[in-house]
Amino acid sequence: MTTIASRMQPTRPLLSILFVFLLAPLLSACGYNTIPTAEENAKAAWSEVLNQYQRRADLIPNLVETVKGYAAHEADTLQSVVEARAKATQVTVNADNLTDPEAFKKFQENQAGLTSALGRLLAVAENYPDLKANQNFLALQAQLEGTENRIAVARRDYIGAVRAFNLTLSTFPSMIWDKLWFHKQPFQNFTVEQDKMDAPKVDFGTKPQTQSSGG
């Protein structure tokens, strides 16, 4: 009896491994992998959003210094950009904390504040032809324009990825796996208003400004 039992014992781990291999395709077919896949896609999309916002923040100090060289007396506008950048870089939401509505809201508000301050600064620059002709300013203009476009694309991709992830938590059959196994919370997303928010205008194509003659 001891000999027979000892021969049967090693087959149990083998049966367990075989069971896992047989079960894996069934789990995949039933949507088990849908939730973690969608979650990782959303996190990757968010990382790209952060990368592009950081890229914009990195351009601002040089932009402010360049404008200051030609429009130093625009102190209030320059200071508002510096302060808005500080707020935007102080609050961040990492990929593992996308379920926090308060943190996400604060992040949105601070980035929107920086967008608004940048818009005012670039509007002021319209009044300084020498600044608009400066090569460093032109290079910064091109980089900022490219970054704003990348931010828009990154935000759009993130919105789509989060919608897909959140949908897996509320639709069959993946919702069953979430209830039984994952227990995930929906990710926060950009609001419609901010998604449609205009980026700062950086097109300095020189349109001659007509000045009305006095008298």
Side-chain angles (χ1 to χ4, degrees):
M1 293 292 294
T2 304
T3 306
I4 295 174
S6 63
R7 289 178 180 176
M8 292 178 63
Q9 197 69 23
T11 63
R12 292 177 182 176
L14 200 58
L15 287 173
S16 299
I17 295 172
L18 183 60
F19 177 76
V20 170
F21 275 106
L22 290 174
L23 189 61
L26 296 176
L27 292 176
S28 179
C30 291
Y32 180 84
N33 292 327
T34 303
I35 291 176
T37 299
E39 181 182 27
E40 288 307 311
N41 288 342
K43 286 182 176 181
W46 178 248
S47 295
E48 183 61 17
V49 170
L50 293 181
N51 286 341
Q52 296 308 325
Y53 274 129
Q54 184 59 52
R55 178 187 174 94
R56 180 173 73 170
D58 292 343
L59 289 172
I60 290 173
N62 198 4
L63 177 66
V64 168
E65 288 302 314
T66 301
V67 174
K68 188 186 297 183
Y70 290 85
H73 60 282
E74 302 284 357
D76 290 343
T77 303
L78 292 167
Q79 186 62 27
S80 70
V81 173
V82 172
E83 292 175 355
R85 179 187 183 275
K87 287 183 179 180
T89 53
Q90 284 171 0
V91 176
T92 189
V93 178
N94 61 45
D96 295 320
N97 197 31
L98 287 168
T99 59
D100 186 342
E102 291 302 319
F104 198 89
K105 179 182 178 183
K106 192 65 176 177
F107 177 87
Q108 286 188 91
E109 290 174 348
N110 288 350
Q111 293 296 340
L114 179 53
T115 298
S116 178
L118 265 177
R120 291 193 297 271
L121 177 65
L122 296 173
V124 163
E126 283 285 340
N127 299 322
Y128 299 89
D130 290 342
L131 170 61
K132 291 164 59 177
N134 177 271
Q135 291 301 312
N136 188 41
F137 185 78
L138 291 173
L140 287 168
Q141 166 199 339
Q143 292 177 60
L144 183 58
E145 181 177 15
T147 301
E148 291 296 343
N149 291 334
R150 291 187 186 96
I151 287 173
V153 171
R155 283 166 58 101
R156 183 192 64 200
D157 291 347
Y158 172 75
I159 289 169
V162 168
R163 285 175 179 164
F165 170 64
N166 290 349
L167 192 62
T168 66
L169 304 182
S170 59
T171 55
F172 185 84
S174 52
M175 64 181 296
I176 302 299
W177 291 112
D178 183 57
K179 298 296 184 184
L180 296 176
W181 191 272
F182 295 110
H183 309 294
K184 297 292 183 179
Q185 296 296 319
F187 282 173
Q188 298 299 306
N189 215 336
F190 289 105
T191 60
V192 175
E193 291 78 8
Q194 289 202 335
D195 181 39
K196 294 181 178 179
M197 185 172 54
D198 290 336
K201 303 302 182 184
V202 293
D203 181 9
F204 293 105
T206 56
K207 293 181 179 180
Q209 297 181 352
T210 57
Q211 298 183 351
S212 58
S213 56

